Amino acid sequence: MWTFPQVRGGVASLAHGWAWMNFSWFASAYDNDDVLYRVVTLVQIAGVLVLAAGVSKAFENHDFVVVWLGYAIMRFAMIAQWLRVARSTEGTERTAALRYAGGVLLCQIGWLGLLFAPEAGRPWVFLVVAVAELCVPLFAEKDFTTSWHPHHIAERYGLFTIIVLGETIAAATVAVKSAVDEHDALGELLPIAAGGLLIVFSAWWIYFVVPIHGHLRSNGQAFLWGYGHYLIFASAAAIGAGLEVAVEQTVGTAHISALSASAAVTLPTALYFLAVWGLHSRHFKVGIAQQLVLPTTALLVILCTFLGDWAVLAAGIVCALTVAVGVVMTTRMVTREAAAGAARSA
């Protein structure tokens, strides 16, 4: 059964990520950059600030009022955008816009359950309304496909991935600094810091090594790709949290085993590599050898869990070697193709 911290974390992650995703897809289709559009965008930014201000209360006091308010500000701004689209269009496009507006409104009402439902029922409220949120685009676009630009969408998701990876580095940096200041444990923390840096560097490399926009040709592909990014965003954020846990376990402030602390880093790292392979890399790999690189890396990273205090460093080295292997394999393939092309031209 869910624990309440899981519900609080899930609510915060869904609220930020889903609102941002919705805005990105809307902007790709309907951003006319006029005064009203910019003002409504400012309102959404204000909603993000309000939501962020309420996260601490949600975690510490189980109080979702400020989080709900911040999310409501963002979502009602989005409803206004869709109603504006409906006003300026007709036919199936207008129907789709109204479905978006109505669906978002109903979901926002559903989130009130987090304020009034008993604590034992809140995980179920979260599950039901989260599923409903994810279904709104599928329902709204069943008769009309909104326009969107593959390059723009790929760029937006890439920027969000960079932000999450940057937050991961920031979280790990703060954890290491605090541990050094309070416990003078630099020697014990250097392997974690080095391993974490290699993991994040490798995570960035493998995400941006392929031009994914060329794969996004239909709504079906785009929906799967967009929804699948929850695994990428969640696992990337979890790597940062795992590094903090590993640091705290090393200096003795987290009373868990070394195995558990290592798993907090290696498991989300493995999930990240598998998610990027499933959504991105596999579409560009040629031959079974290239296809197996990232799944094999995920398996090796999981095995690093059992290396005790050296688990994070070992996982980082595995990830860095994966990047090196990928570069070598790609270089060899390009060289062979160039030689074959030259031979055909001769």
Side-chain angles (χ1 to χ4, degrees), residues 14-102:
L14 181 71
H16 282 103
W18 185 245
W20 177 89
M21 288 183 186
N22 278 197
F23 177 77
S24 294
W25 288 95
F26 179 90
S28 187
Y30 297 109
D31 180 4
N32 60 2
D33 202 32
D34 66 359
V35 173
L36 183 56
Y37 180 89
R38 290 192 172 207
V39 170
V40 176
T41 300
L42 176 62
V43 172
Q44 290 178 285
I45 294 172
V48 173
L49 296 177
V50 174
L51 189 151
V55 169
S56 295
K57 281 190 174 182
F59 272 78
E60 295 170 5
N61 304 322
H62 305 182
D63 183 355
F64 283 95
V65 173
V66 179
V67 169
W68 183 90
L69 178 61
Y71 190 63
I73 293 172
M74 289 190 288
R75 301 307 274 161
F76 277 105
M78 195 76 258
I79 290 171
Q81 295 278 39
W82 280 116
L83 289 176
R84 190 182 182 201
V85 172
R87 183 181 179 183
S88 60
T89 57
E90 57 185 22
T92 55
E93 184 174 7
R94 182 174 185 274
T95 300
L98 290 174
R99 285 173 177 170
Y100 266 114

Side-chain angles (χ1 to χ4, degrees), residues 61-279:
N61 304 322
H62 305 182
D63 183 355
F64 283 95
V65 173
V66 179
V67 169
W68 183 90
L69 178 61
Y71 190 63
I73 293 172
M74 289 190 288
R75 301 307 274 161
F76 277 105
M78 195 76 258
I79 290 171
Q81 295 278 39
W82 280 116
L83 289 176
R84 190 182 182 201
V85 172
R87 183 181 179 183
S88 60
T89 57
E90 57 185 22
T92 55
E93 184 174 7
R94 182 174 185 274
T95 300
L98 290 174
R99 285 173 177 170
Y100 266 114
V104 173
L105 176 61
L106 289 175
C107 288
Q108 192 57 47
I109 295 172
W111 287 121
L112 285 170
L114 292 177
L115 305 183
F116 301 107
E119 186 168 321
R122 289 177 182 176
W124 295 106
V125 172
F126 170 74
L127 178 62
V128 171
V129 184
V131 171
E133 286 267 17
L134 297 176
C135 289
V136 169
L138 300 175
F139 167 70
E141 301 204 16
K142 67 185 185 72
D143 298 318
F144 177 84
T145 301
T146 56
S147 60
W148 47 271
H149 197 286
H151 286 79
H152 177 246
I153 291 298
E155 178 193 29
R156 295 296 97 187
Y157 276 72
L159 288 175
F160 197 79
T161 302
I162 288 177
I163 290 171
V164 177
L165 291 174
E167 290 293 333
T168 294
I169 292 180
T173 300
V174 171
V176 171
K177 181 181 182 302
S178 299
V180 170
D181 291 343
E182 297 175 12
H183 301 277
D184 194 22
L186 181 60
E188 293 86 347
L189 296 175
L190 279 177
I192 297 176
L197 185 62
L198 289 174
I199 288 172
V200 174
F201 171 78
S202 303
W204 166 78
W205 185 291
I206 67 166
Y207 184 93
F208 290 100
V209 76
V210 293
I212 192 59
H213 59 265
H215 175 69
L216 304 178
R217 302 186 186 93
S218 68
N219 254 27
Q221 292 170 325
F223 276 140
L224 178 62
W225 182 83
Y227 286 152
H229 264 71
Y230 262 114
L231 291 176
I232 292 179
F233 298 152
S235 57
I239 291 171
L243 290 172
E244 291 187 68
V245 170
V247 169
E248 292 175 0
Q249 190 276 332
T250 298
V251 298
T253 56
H255 302 292
I256 59 174
S257 66
L259 180 65
S260 298
S262 300
V265 178
T266 57
L267 294 185
T269 300
L271 177 59
Y272 179 92
F273 274 69
L274 287 174
V276 172
W277 172 77
L279 295 174

Side-chain angles (χ1 to χ4, degrees), residues 307-325:
L307 297 181
D309 294 337
W310 297 98
V312 176
L313 179 59
I317 292 172
V318 168
C319 294
L321 289 175
T322 298
V323 171
V325 169

